[in-house]
Amino acid sequence: MMCLLISVRFLVVVAWLAAAAHAGDLSITAEPYLTGGLFTRPVLPHEGDRVTITVRATCSGPIDSDPQARLTLLCHAHRTMIERTLDLKRTENRAEASWTWTAGGNGIYHVRVEIDPGNRIAEANEDNNTAELILPVLIKGRKVHVAWYREVPTTRWATCVTSANDAKQRSRLAERGVIALRWAYGGASWSHYDKKKAETNPDEVLKEIEEVFYQKYTAEPDKYAGLGIDETGGYPSTFSLKRTVASMKAMVRAKREMPNRFFAVWNGGGVTLPPIGYFRQGADLLLLETYVWRAIPQGLGTEDIYQMIRDRLDPFIRSYDMFQPAYGNWCYTLIGLDTSERPDYIELGEQEQVVRFIRRICPEMRGIAWYNGGYGGYGLNPTPETDKHHQAVLANADRLCFDYYVKPCVTLMRHSLWPERRPDGAWSLTAAVSNIGGIDSGPVTVQFLVDGKAVGTETVARVPAGPSRIHNRALLEQPVRVEPGLHAFEARMLDAGDATTLDAVARCSRLIR
């Protein structure tokens, strides 16, 4: 009897293995995001936007019926807000459906999907049927751009890829609301013109160059959303700068005729006149090539990379109101940092330090750009170790986009602390906590000190993430008792919940009479 029982069990196992070997399989993943089966359009919606959530399962082997999926939308505390059952429609190698949601209040949501939740379909592998992603909803009026030169397979946060020349790639990115651009050159290094004629009749040659670029910038409007234009800039009084101007004149003409065509311009070196006027009129993104780890130190012997970043912004970016659309332009300016030419020069902590510095000196900048080309060149011999570090640098860059531009990012800016005499003659100390991220923060607690001694704490329930300082800060006031004389005042953020904290301390001194 025992032998018979063992034989029956053996036959059952063999039958199950045989069935599993011939069973189909459904699977889904959200990673890599730009090729995964769970994604949203747009990548970064705002309050009130219509968000399309796509569930695209991969099918292999025989599947007897159209599968279902359970889609769950969770709020920031991982509480279920909405749950839907979707009927997936099969094609040859996938099954998919989409669901549209109107984004409510800003915050960080989570989307979770489970394929075949009732296990109605026999599968070879039942452990690959779930996926989850983060879905931030930004406040109105604070648009965020994250531009990459090339598509990074493991990135999550990208709104623009400036070099996407393959039609299938552009289509796939567009499904996710990522602006996929065809790569093109600007005029700074353009060499396809009559050099001898340029010496005797430069104006005519420049008109010819402008026409060449106009034809490039207006070609095949139905095939791609726009162009990522490299190699603009040039030193004053050089012909390369004049070629840049010619190519940017062409861009302005193209933009006027095709206002929906997107232009992202990579500018090498400092911004000069007159190109900046054309950037204002024709560019959607101006990307300042500020390659602090390889090109700039190697080419210029730069020691203070932070001052060099300042020099990319002053005076023209500030004085010509170029950080974001203002007074008739629609251009956003972003600092562009390198990740890939020599990743062995990049320390992850310093990479974050540079992003923190950029947020500190230009909090109104609405995003960041990453140049991730050139790996394996510029004197680097790739090894498994450099490959691993390169991937860590790219992953770190992706994280920094989320932490410093999407999430709540609270800070005590310079001059954000001041003493004030109230009408009754008593004194108070006020700290202005700013939120320069894209989402409202939770509670923030600030401690106040006078001459190094704590005098009290104040907590605000939230710091809004508005479009400007008019709407994105909270004032915390602490009554203080001070005698006449010189005093040192200080505010310290003790807690900011899940928000990114930029500068947590503010100080000032005042002679009280």
Side-chain angles (χ1 to χ4, degrees):
M1 179 65 71
M2 181 64 68
C3 292
L4 178 61
L5 181 61
I6 292 174
S7 298
V8 170
R9 288 178 177 173
F10 175 76
L11 291 174
V12 169
V13 170
V14 169
W16 181 86
L17 290 173
H22 292 89
D25 189 43
L26 294 165
S27 63
I28 192 166
T29 179
E31 297 178 0
Y33 179 75
L34 295 180
T35 57
L38 177 62
F39 56 89
T40 72
R41 177 188 173 95
V43 174
L44 294 173
H46 293 77
E47 297 167 323
D49 284 355
R50 300 278 285 175
V51 183
T52 299
I53 302 173
T54 297
V55 177
R56 180 176 294 162
T58 299
C59 303
S60 61
I63 303 294
D64 295 334
S65 60
D66 286 343
Q68 291 185 325
R70 180 188 295 127
L71 181 70
T72 307
L73 185 66
L74 305 102
C75 67
H76 67 282
H78 274 75
R79 292 194 302 269
T80 298
M81 294 176 52
I82 300 171
E83 191 169 274
R84 292 286 186 274
T85 297
L86 306 181
D87 295 317
L88 307 185
K89 299 301 180 184
R90 285 178 299 161
T91 59
E92 182 178 353
N93 58 3
R94 68 190 191 191
E96 73 174 87
S98 295
W99 177 67
T100 301
W101 171 61
T102 300
N106 73 86
I108 296 176
Y109 299 83
H110 294 258
V111 179
R112 184 180 297 158
V113 66
E114 181 181 2
I115 307 298
D116 189 29
N119 289 324
R120 295 186 307 160
I121 299 173
E123 297 184 61
N125 183 359
E126 297 284 357
D127 297 328
N128 56 3
N129 287 8
T130 61
E132 184 172 337
L133 59 79
I134 296 172
L135 174 59
V137 175
L138 308 183
I139 58 101
K140 286 185 177 181
R142 197 171 186 100
K143 195 169 185 177
V144 172
H145 289 280
V146 179
W148 292 81
Y149 162 60
R150 289 177 178 167
E151 178 182 342
V152 178
T154 55
T155 193
R156 170 66 176 93
W157 309 112
T159 62
C160 180
V161 174
T162 66
S163 180
N165 291 329
D166 178 73
K168 290 183 179 180
Q169 178 194 20
R170 291 198 297 270
S171 176
R172 173 171 48 78
L173 293 175
E175 282 187 312
R176 292 153 173 80
V178 179
I179 302 168
L181 305 179
R182 178 186 175 190
W183 191 244
Y185 281 104
S189 60
W190 186 253
S191 60
H192 304 286
Y193 63 93
D194 190 328
K195 312 298 189 300
K196 291 184 177 180
K197 185 177 178 180
E199 294 177 1
T200 59
N201 197 343
D203 290 341
E204 185 174 340
V205 169
L206 290 171
K207 288 182 180 179
E208 293 170 356
I209 292 174
E210 178 184 338
E211 191 60 31
V212 168
F213 279 99
Y214 171 75
Q215 296 300 326
K216 289 163 59 73
Y217 296 163
T218 56
E220 301 180 297
D222 297 331
K223 289 189 176 181
Y224 45 90
L227 293 98
I229 304 172
D230 193 21
E231 303 296 347
T232 67
Y235 295 111
S237 302
T238 62
F239 202 64
S240 63
L241 181 60
K242 293 178 181 180
R243 293 195 301 267
T244 286
V245 171
S247 66
M248 293 298 95
K249 284 182 177 179
M251 179 186 67
V252 171
R253 289 171 56 192
K255 187 68 173 180
R256 286 173 179 168
E257 292 186 19
M258 303 176 176
N260 293 326
R261 175 158 273 198
F262 197 96
F263 293 96
V265 179
W266 291 85
N267 187 82
V271 179
T272 59
L273 294 174
I276 196 165
Y278 298 107
F279 296 152
R280 281 186 61 90
Q281 298 175 64
D284 295 274
L285 291 180
L286 173 60
L287 311 174
L288 304 180
E289 295 181 359
T290 314
Y291 302 161
V292 297
W293 285 286
R294 200 283 305 174
I296 295 299
Q298 181 173 311
L300 301 178
T302 299
E303 299 287 348
D304 188 348
I305 60 175
Y306 299 95
Q307 182 60 45
M308 187 275 299
I309 293 172
R310 281 190 182 276
D311 293 342
R312 287 290 187 262
L313 303 175
D314 297 327
F316 295 117
I317 298 300
R318 293 190 189 277
S319 60
Y320 280 79
D321 304 319
M322 288 291 292
F323 280 116
Q324 55 183 296
Y327 304 119
N329 78 315
W330 54 70
C331 183
Y332 288 83
T333 296
L334 311 180
I335 290 286
L337 298 173
D338 51 319
T339 64
S340 304
E341 290 183 344
R342 290 299 301 263
D344 52 323
Y345 294 164
I346 303 175
E347 295 290 337
L348 300 185
E350 186 175 60
Q351 188 182 28
E352 180 161 6
Q353 189 78 340
V354 168
V355 172
R356 290 176 66 87
F357 176 75
I358 292 169
R359 297 301 281 137
R360 185 175 295 121
I361 64 171
C362 47
E364 63 272 45
M365 190 170 280
R366 296 294 196 258
I368 196 164
W370 299 100
Y371 176 68
N372 53 313
Y375 181 67
Y378 302 101
L380 175 68
N381 295 317
T383 66
E385 187 62 28
T386 61
D387 291 347
K388 181 179 178 181
H389 185 66
H390 181 213
Q391 293 305 311
V393 168
L394 292 171
N396 199 42
D398 186 59
R399 175 189 68 84
L400 295 173
C401 298
F402 181 69
D403 284 356
Y404 288 93
Y405 292 93
V406 178
K407 281 179 59 177
C409 181
V410 294
T411 184
L412 289 165
M413 295 186 184
R414 292 177 59 193
H415 315 299
S416 62
L417 176 68
W418 61 86
E420 184 176 359
R421 191 192 297 270
R422 298 188 298 194
D424 62 2
W427 285 85
S428 64
L429 197 54
T430 299
V433 181
S434 297
N435 182 357
I436 60 173
I439 293 171
D440 294 345
S441 82
V444 175
T445 299
V446 174
Q447 181 185 52
F448 295 86
L449 300 90
V450 178
D451 299 327
K453 296 181 180 180
V455 295
T457 61
E458 296 290 337
T459 299
V460 63
R462 62 184 274 273
V463 182
S468 70
R469 75 186 298 271
I470 299 172
H471 305 290
N472 71 354
R473 65 179 190 165
L475 303 181
L476 287 79
E477 185 177 359
Q478 172 69 45
V480 295
R481 301 180 66 177
V482 291
E483 300 295 331
L486 179 64
H487 295 280
F489 302 104
E490 185 174 320
R492 300 176 181 174
M493 272 194 279
L494 299 183
D495 186 29
D498 293 331
T500 299
T501 304
L502 191 56
D503 288 320
V505 178
R507 298 183 178 91
C508 71
S509 59
R510 181 76 65 85
L511 182 60
I512 302 297
R513 297 187 182 279

